[in-house]
Amino acid sequence: MAVPYLIVVVAMGYTRQSAALGFQLLALVALMDGHVRRFVLLVAAGALFHMSALLLLPLAALAHSRNRAWTLVWVGLAGLGLSAVL
């Protein structure tokens, strides 16, 4: 049910949110290729359309860190940020 809603309602009804979603998807592809800077720039471009794009930024720190303790710190900070938003 999520895919039809995403395609029909978000892509056709919420123009700014669908543009931000497009930038988020491009950013995830860049992150899978290992381009962390490109990921951050694409997320920032998506945030110009809708602020929800900023929720992906902690993924850059998780993908870039090699230390397990540092990763746990970032996950904790992201969890606090999400709880503050919700």
Side-chain angles (χ1 to χ4, degrees), residues 12 19 21 26 29-30 32-33 42 45 59 65-66 68-69 75 81-82 86:
M12 293 183 175
L21 180 66
L26 287 172
V29 170
M32 287 187 338
D33 291 339
L42 286 168
L59 284 179
S65 77
R66 304 268 185 236
R68 188 174 190 99
V75 168
L82 271 176
L86 298 175

Short mmCIF file of all heavy atoms in Angstrom, two decimals, residues 12 19 21 26 29-30 32-33 42 45 59 65-66 68-69 75 81-82 86:
data_model
loop_
_atom_site.label_atom_id
_atom_site.label_comp_id
_atom_site.label_asym_id
_atom_site.label_seq_id
_atom_site.Cartn_x
_atom_site.Cartn_y
_atom_site.Cartn_z
N MET A 12 2.14 13.30 -7.24
CA MET A 12 1.22 14.13 -8.01
C MET A 12 0.60 15.26 -7.21
O MET A 12 0.12 16.23 -7.79
CB MET A 12 0.12 13.26 -8.60
CG MET A 12 0.64 12.31 -9.63
SD MET A 12 -0.71 11.37 -10.33
CE MET A 12 0.15 10.47 -11.57
N ALA A 19 9.74 16.53 -4.83
CA ALA A 19 11.07 16.97 -5.26
C ALA A 19 12.12 16.60 -4.22
O ALA A 19 13.21 16.12 -4.55
CB ALA A 19 11.07 18.47 -5.52
N LEU A 21 11.89 14.15 -2.12
CA LEU A 21 12.02 12.70 -2.16
C LEU A 21 12.92 12.26 -3.30
O LEU A 21 13.73 11.35 -3.16
CB LEU A 21 10.63 12.06 -2.30
CG LEU A 21 10.60 10.55 -2.37
CD1 LEU A 21 11.07 9.96 -1.04
CD2 LEU A 21 9.22 10.06 -2.71
N LEU A 26 18.26 10.08 -4.92
CA LEU A 26 19.55 10.28 -5.57
C LEU A 26 20.69 10.28 -4.55
O LEU A 26 21.77 9.77 -4.81
CB LEU A 26 19.55 11.60 -6.35
CG LEU A 26 18.75 11.63 -7.64
CD1 LEU A 26 18.69 13.05 -8.19
CD2 LEU A 26 19.36 10.69 -8.65
N VAL A 29 21.59 6.74 -3.57
CA VAL A 29 22.41 6.10 -4.60
C VAL A 29 23.86 6.57 -4.47
O VAL A 29 24.79 5.77 -4.58
CB VAL A 29 21.84 6.40 -6.00
CG1 VAL A 29 22.80 5.97 -7.10
CG2 VAL A 29 20.51 5.72 -6.17
N ALA A 30 24.06 7.85 -4.24
CA ALA A 30 25.42 8.37 -4.07
C ALA A 30 26.09 7.76 -2.84
O ALA A 30 27.28 7.44 -2.86
CB ALA A 30 25.39 9.90 -3.94
N MET A 32 25.45 4.78 -1.58
CA MET A 32 25.77 3.39 -1.89
C MET A 32 27.04 3.29 -2.73
O MET A 32 27.77 2.31 -2.64
CB MET A 32 24.61 2.72 -2.63
CG MET A 32 23.44 2.44 -1.74
SD MET A 32 22.07 1.47 -2.43
CE MET A 32 22.18 1.65 -4.16
N ASP A 33 27.32 4.32 -3.54
CA ASP A 33 28.54 4.34 -4.33
C ASP A 33 29.75 4.83 -3.53
O ASP A 33 30.86 4.84 -4.04
CB ASP A 33 28.37 5.23 -5.56
CG ASP A 33 27.41 4.64 -6.57
OD1 ASP A 33 27.19 3.40 -6.53
OD2 ASP A 33 26.88 5.39 -7.40
N LEU A 42 23.27 16.44 -1.92
CA LEU A 42 21.94 16.11 -2.44
C LEU A 42 20.88 16.20 -1.36
O LEU A 42 19.75 16.63 -1.62
CB LEU A 42 21.95 14.73 -3.09
CG LEU A 42 22.64 14.66 -4.45
CD1 LEU A 42 22.85 13.22 -4.87
CD2 LEU A 42 21.85 15.42 -5.48
N ALA A 45 20.19 19.81 -0.95
CA ALA A 45 19.34 20.29 -2.04
C ALA A 45 17.89 19.87 -1.83
O ALA A 45 16.97 20.63 -2.08
CB ALA A 45 19.85 19.77 -3.38
N LEU A 59 22.77 9.34 8.30
CA LEU A 59 23.29 8.20 7.54
C LEU A 59 24.69 8.47 7.01
O LEU A 59 25.49 7.54 6.87
CB LEU A 59 22.36 7.87 6.38
CG LEU A 59 21.09 7.14 6.71
CD1 LEU A 59 20.27 6.92 5.45
CD2 LEU A 59 21.36 5.83 7.37
N SER A 65 31.83 6.51 9.42
CA SER A 65 32.58 6.15 10.62
C SER A 65 32.98 4.68 10.60
O SER A 65 32.25 3.82 10.12
CB SER A 65 31.77 6.45 11.87
OG SER A 65 30.80 5.47 12.06
N ARG A 66 34.15 4.39 11.13
CA ARG A 66 34.65 3.02 11.21
C ARG A 66 34.63 2.53 12.66
O ARG A 66 34.72 1.34 12.90
CB ARG A 66 36.09 2.94 10.69
CG ARG A 66 36.25 3.46 9.30
CD ARG A 66 36.11 2.34 8.31
NE ARG A 66 36.40 2.83 6.98
CZ ARG A 66 35.57 2.72 5.98
NH1 ARG A 66 34.41 2.17 6.17
NH2 ARG A 66 35.87 3.16 4.80
N ARG A 68 32.94 1.61 16.10
CA ARG A 68 31.61 1.16 16.53
C ARG A 68 31.03 2.08 17.62
O ARG A 68 29.85 2.37 17.62
CB ARG A 68 31.69 -0.27 17.03
CG ARG A 68 30.35 -0.87 17.31
CD ARG A 68 30.50 -2.35 17.66
NE ARG A 68 29.22 -2.97 17.70
CZ ARG A 68 28.70 -3.69 16.73
NH1 ARG A 68 29.39 -3.87 15.63
NH2 ARG A 68 27.51 -4.23 16.84
N ALA A 69 31.87 2.55 18.54
CA ALA A 69 31.38 3.44 19.60
C ALA A 69 30.89 4.76 19.00
O ALA A 69 29.86 5.29 19.42
CB ALA A 69 32.48 3.70 20.62
N VAL A 75 23.94 7.16 16.31
CA VAL A 75 22.59 6.59 16.33
C VAL A 75 21.79 7.16 17.49
O VAL A 75 20.61 7.48 17.36
CB VAL A 75 22.67 5.04 16.38
CG1 VAL A 75 21.32 4.44 16.69
CG2 VAL A 75 23.20 4.49 15.08
N GLY A 81 17.11 13.28 18.11
CA GLY A 81 16.59 14.27 17.17
C GLY A 81 15.24 13.87 16.61
O GLY A 81 14.34 14.70 16.47
N LEU A 82 15.07 12.59 16.33
CA LEU A 82 13.77 12.12 15.84
C LEU A 82 12.69 12.22 16.90
O LEU A 82 11.56 12.58 16.61
CB LEU A 82 13.89 10.66 15.38
CG LEU A 82 14.29 10.45 13.94
CD1 LEU A 82 14.46 8.97 13.65
CD2 LEU A 82 13.27 11.04 13.02
N LEU A 86 9.21 14.36 16.51
CA LEU A 86 7.89 13.75 16.62
C LEU A 86 7.22 14.27 17.85
O LEU A 86 6.09 14.42 18.01
CB LEU A 86 8.00 12.23 16.66
CG LEU A 86 8.61 11.62 15.39
CD1 LEU A 86 8.78 10.12 15.59
CD2 LEU A 86 7.73 11.88 14.20
#
